[in-house]
């Protein structure tokens, strides 16, 4: 057997004819950037998430840095983010000249809200809540802290397309919800794409202007913006994907439940879901405190691919050496980097494939 950690071709094959029809329709339309498909997708995505506005952008990273830019977070300001975040989360903060302030994750792999207040200083301007692996952060606690300290909240929902905290869709709690539609994400495009959602009319309008060189009316530039436009082909294909997203999420849920039920190796700890959160299982991430790399190598021998999300916590990456952190500064994130392993999880995964993965893991000894 040869099982990939994520098999995008498999997901494509589930609805190939629909994607191909939409692609041809857009190609033949003669209109390729910011048009009817983008408008329709923005409307449908806002509705799906339960937000007033959606603005399509070129990537998830753009969604993050433009959010901080438009919220007025820049040089001299601090933004709180979890210490086990994906590097893009941190870049979204630092690209504006702001300083990321790391807070350790809890047993649910997301920011430990109980540790946020200790990290707040007079320079703190915002909290970036990253809903990692498809699981919601404790948004009740995070919003209460933000309110008490007058902080902006940006949600990074790149890995959490359509999951909820206490019944409310993530992305609708903070000032802005940021989404990436990178191909591996829940609602993945066929290239790079992203968006923001917000309930603020004023902010939504600022995003629309900013993404298109700062112009609302062509050649009338109000601010120094950027080019972060969503194209018609991606938007059209995302509309097809969105029409199947609940089905994709439900299927990943079933796969996760099978892992939860059938994985019985005491050395392989299953993911924990915070009470009140639901999870769309962007990844199924186990913790292997002893012998993670040996397990990955053993699985590879058997034709089973796995990924580590993520092997180097941001504070130890070369890119952030200038922050001056070293080994031991964020011990939980460092420990997680050494023990997390994402098991194969994709739409279209067969029972037979999953059985093979489960049996292999259950037979493993460190
Ligand atoms: C994928 C991802 C991003 C970045 O999105 P891009 O579209 O690749 O720029 C940001 N944050 C998280 C948590 C992600 O998983």
């Amino acid at each position: 057997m040869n099982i990939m950690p994520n098999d995008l071709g498999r997901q494509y094959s589930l609805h190939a004819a629909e994607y191909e029809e939409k692609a041809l329709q857009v190609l033949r339309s003669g209109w390729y950037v910011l048009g009817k498909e983008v408008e329709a997708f923005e409307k449908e995505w806002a509705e799906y998430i339960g937000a007033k506005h959606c603005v399509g952008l070129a990537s998830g990273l753009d969604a993050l840095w433009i959010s901080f830019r438009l919220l007025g977070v820049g040089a001299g300001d601090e933004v709180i983010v979890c210490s086990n975040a994906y590097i893009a989360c941190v870049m979204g903060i630092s690209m504006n000249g702001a300083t990321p302030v790391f807070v350790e994750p809890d047993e649910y792999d997301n920011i430990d809200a109980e540790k946020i207040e200790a990290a707040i200083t007079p320079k703190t301007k915002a909290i970036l809540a990253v809903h990692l692996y498809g699981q919601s952060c404790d948004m009740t606690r995070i919003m209460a802290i933000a309110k008490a300290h007058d902080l902006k909240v940006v949600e990074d929902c790149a890995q959490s397309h359509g999951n909820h905290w206490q019944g409310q869709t993530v992305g609708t709690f903070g000032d802005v919800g940021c989404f990436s539609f990178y191909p591996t994400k829940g609602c993945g495009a066929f290239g790079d794409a992203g968006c923001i959602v917000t309930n603020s009319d004023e902010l939504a309008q600022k995003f629309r202007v900013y993404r298109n060189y700062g112009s609302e009316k062509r050649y009338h530039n109000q601010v120094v913006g950027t080019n972060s436009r969503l194209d018609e082909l991606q938007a059209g294909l995302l509309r097809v994907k969105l029409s199947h997203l609940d089905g994709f999420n439900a299927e990943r849920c079933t796969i996760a439940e099978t892992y939860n039920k059938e994985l019985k190796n005491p050395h392989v700890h299953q993911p924990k879901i915070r009470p009140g959160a639901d999870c769309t299982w962007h990844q199924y991430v186990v913790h292997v405190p002893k012998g993670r790399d040996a397990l990955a190598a053993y699985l590879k021998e058997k034709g089973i691919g796995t990924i580590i999300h993520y092997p180097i916590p941001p504070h130890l990456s070369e890119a952030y050496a200038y922050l001056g952190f070293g080994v031991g500064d964020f011990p939980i994130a460092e420990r997680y980097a050494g023990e997390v392993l994402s098991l194969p999880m994709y739409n279209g995964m067969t029972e037979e494939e999953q059985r093979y993965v489960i049996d292999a893991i259950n037979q493993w000894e460190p």
Side-chain angles (χ1 to χ4, degrees), residues 98-272:
T99 304
V101 172
F102 299 111
V103 169
E104 293 268 57
D106 57 21
E107 66 199 291
Y108 306 105
D109 297 323
N110 272 322
I111 193 164
D112 187 341
E114 297 311 319
K115 292 182 181 157
I116 291 177
E117 276 186 311
I120 294 174
T121 76
K123 292 179 176 173
T124 310
K125 286 283 151 55
I127 301 171
L128 176 58
V130 184
H131 306 290
L132 212 58
Y133 306 151
Q135 184 181 179
S136 325
C137 297
D138 180 347
M139 290 314 295
T140 308
R141 190 81 186 97
I142 290 171
M143 293 311 294
I145 294 166
K147 194 159 178 233
H149 296 269
D150 194 23
L151 305 177
K152 303 285 186 195
V153 175
V154 175
E155 291 177 75
D156 184 337
C157 311
Q159 304 188 1
S160 295
H161 294 183
N163 60 296
H164 305 87
W165 169 251
Q166 295 181 347
Q168 185 180 334
T169 319
V170 299
T172 62
F173 289 88
D175 296 275
V176 187
C178 299
F179 292 85
S180 162
F181 301 118
Y182 183 75
T184 58
K185 315 290 184 183
C187 187
F190 295 80
D192 277 308
C195 80
I196 61 93
V197 298
T198 179
N199 287 326
S200 158
D201 300 344
E202 190 195 336
L203 206 49
Q205 183 55 19
K206 280 188 178 174
F207 275 99
R208 286 183 203 289
V209 167
Y210 198 86
R211 73 173 168 188
N212 196 15
Y213 300 129
S215 67
E216 188 178 355
K217 193 170 156 211
R218 189 181 278 189
Y219 307 132
H220 291 253
N221 305 83
Q222 307 162 16
V223 292
V224 180
T226 189
N227 173 358
S228 184
R229 298 178 295 227
L230 182 57
D231 65 75
E232 288 285 283
L233 195 55
Q234 297 308 336
L237 293 168
L238 281 168
R239 292 180 69 200
V240 178
K241 274 276 174 89
L242 175 56
S243 72
H244 298 294
L245 184 54
D246 283 337
F248 291 148
N249 284 344
E251 186 188 4
R252 276 200 302 275
C253 237
T254 304
I255 295 170
E257 278 163 15
T258 304
Y259 275 138
N260 286 341
K261 213 165 78 208
E262 306 281 336
L263 283 177
K264 294 203 166 87
N265 191 322
H267 303 289
V268 178
H269 302 176
Q270 295 178 3
K272 295 189 182 122

Side-chain angles (χ1 to χ4, degrees), residues 81-101:
V81 62
C82 56
S83 52
N84 62 330
Y86 179 47
I87 201 79
C89 314
V90 186
M91 289 188 180
I93 296 166
S94 66
M95 277 171 74
N96 290 306
T99 304
V101 172

Side-chain angles (χ1 to χ4, degrees), residues 68 73-79 90 92-100 320 322-323:
F68 289 116
V73 178
D77 298 332
E78 294 178 353
V79 178
V90 186
I93 296 166
S94 66
M95 277 171 74
N96 290 306
T99 304
Y320 288 105
Y322 74 87
L323 292 174

Side-chain angles (χ1 to χ4, degrees), residues 335-346:
R335 177 158 62 78
Y336 284 10
E339 65 184 33
V340 293
L341 192 67
S342 304
L343 303 186
M345 163 72 84
Y346 46 87

